[in-house]
Amino acid sequence: MKLATLKNDTRDGQLVVVSKDLQSAVAVTHIAPTMQYALDNWDTLSMHLQATYHALNIGQLDDVMAFDSSLCESPLPRAYQWADGSAYVNHVELVRKARGAELPPSFWTDPLMYQGGSDDFIGPNDDVLVGDESWGIDFEAEVAVVTGDVPMGVSALEAGNHIRLVMLVNDVSLRGLIPQELAKGFGFFQSKPASSFSPVAVTPDELGDAWQGFKVKHPLLSTLNGALFGKPDAGVDMTFDFGQLIAHAAKTRNLTAGAIIGSGTVSNKQGTDYGSAIEDGGVGYSCIAEVRMIETIRDGQPSTPFMKFGDRIRIEMLDEQGASVFGAIEQQIKEYP
Amino acid sequence: MKLATLKNDTRDGQLVVVSKDLQSAVAVTHIAPTMQYALDNWDTLSMHLQATYHALNIGQLDDVMAFDSSLCESPLPRAYQWADGSAYVNHVELVRKARGAELPPSFWTDPLMYQGGSDDFIGPNDDVLVGDESWGIDFEAEVAVVTGDVPMGVSALEAGNHIRLVMLVNDVSLRGLIPQELAKGFGFFQSKPASSFSPVAVTPDELGDAWQGFKVKHPLLSTLNGALFGKPDAGVDMTFDFGQLIAHAAKTRNLTAGAIIGSGTVSNKQGTDYGSAIEDGGVGYSCIAEVRMIETIRDGQPSTPFMKFGDRIRIEMLDEQGASVFGAIEQQIKEYP
């Protein structure tokens, strides 16, 4: 099943069921007015949404509209929980290496995760507004899952069964603000402004064979200003699967319906030390910072600039037939105010 | 105006208006079914809630119930944003001193803030469930404000005008998990489990003269297992007022209606290096960790234990007449599961 949220001048938007081919959509106000409402009542409502999805796909419904991702909010325009892991430990190792620090061995067994802010996500095709270009604007292409209610202390295996939906993320990062903020010891805050999510969130069964071991085995495509920047496979080099990430998040607390858990920047080593760029025949990267780290290790300093006002980023995932699974995050960086 | 949320087997509970003396309450379903709904529509609804409050206080309403804080959820049982500052820099300085580290001078001018999790707050009189006593269970008594919509980049002065409600917090902390978690560099996560808030949230005007410069000038009383542990004044030694804390949180993002911004552990220096305990004639402390830091500095090691299963903590604030402003957070630590 594929779900999206259309803008309608309310804070939570309008839940719609989207056809498998992302061509059409239908409002389901009689079942659930909003995505959060559907997640809050998933056990009783999801079968009705599923029935609508099947009917939509075989052309049995009236009142169908053309689906337009530019009219979408993020699937949850605001959420009660957004926690982002760093499951591709290669990415973390690279960041450390570039500043001459060793990766603690525990990083391979104990997930790294930060608590994100979730009250004001950006729409998938809306501008990313940033106050200062010098803050080091970067995208981070990731996969995320949305959970149902998850009890505190859940096991990693059990946790995977609480996954309701899968989507893509642009975890916008302000690199220039990170060192100073992390030095203060309390983690990210200003350096992780509002994130955005793919137009469409899908149930795991939609992924077919690509949903294996609570990972998504498809390349994640990041296109920067029209040029392919990365296509690493989200199912490869993911040290911690989504079950493990959820269990980590729930170790000392419950997670409630609609909690979003992110994978962290998708990154493949490709049998090399740090992977390699698209132009070098590699699968490239899911954020600019990784390229800059490699440049720093290789050349002593980075040469690829961070994003500037006017730059565009597109993040998408295609299935084996080349069809878009989640629709595309496609955004332009703009100056605020 | 005083507002609370009663448990009613829904995720967001039932909004009630509470009398000034905390003796009675009235449901306001016809105005706003939930606290979040009221905050989402504050500009149009608050005057109706205010009228109900006045009518309740002068005994003009029917269908009034006795107010019982044990039936309360936290005012927002779940919220979209919970960010907690460390505005009492003395507290931070003490923590650093105990481990032999200097406080960076910037800590006096640039607020320290961490992003909290907000999807599952604990009711003000509900048990705090913890998986392991050895995790170093501590309370942290704080003040928090709830905002309306706050635009990104707001000034500190302007930010204060977006404060809708004030309440108290028990920011439960698992001290034993903090060093390892902060060493990983991404801030708190498992070490900051679900927080709880006072039964009642009040509009700033309820504080009268005690609301000065976006600070609350009343002692904050923490009572541990029946003995007064701390009574520092929340208006004293607060280096950053709530306007500054909100502005810090909103530097690179919008905050939306219902965002909760905390003060951090309330702590007074009292003209000494680190304040002093109640039994030494001082105002005491708002968490156990501070006492342990002082013991570490003085004796080389801490002697006051963290909380154990069965321990009770009460957090409250009284006005000049000795009346409870927010009702009391009163909780027992219990083993989970």
Side-chain angles (χ1 to χ4, degrees), chain A residues 128-167:
Chain A
V128 176
L129 302 175
V130 180
D132 194 326
E133 211 173 44
S134 75
W135 288 344
I137 308 160
D138 201 358
F139 67 96
E140 282 193 1
E142 311 184 3
V143 180
V145 297
V146 183
T147 75
D149 292 308
V150 181
M152 174 160 47
V154 71
S155 72
L157 208 61
E158 171 68 21
N161 297 324
H162 293 286
I163 296 170
R164 298 282 180 257
L165 297 167
V166 183
M167 52 191 185

Side-chain angles (χ1 to χ4, degrees), chain A residues 196-247:
Chain A
S196 38
F197 295 85
S198 52
V200 174
V202 312
T203 47
D205 63 288
E206 281 295 326
L207 297 165
D209 292 344
W211 181 245
Q212 282 180 35
F214 308 131
K215 302 179 185 183
V216 181
K217 293 191 181 298
H218 278 314
L220 180 60
L221 311 179
S222 296
T223 305
L224 181 61
N225 293 324
L228 187 64
F229 193 85
K231 54 174 182 178
D233 193 305
V236 173
D237 289 337
M238 188 185 190
T239 303
F240 307 105
D241 65 45
F242 280 111
Q244 292 169 294
L245 294 176
I246 294 168

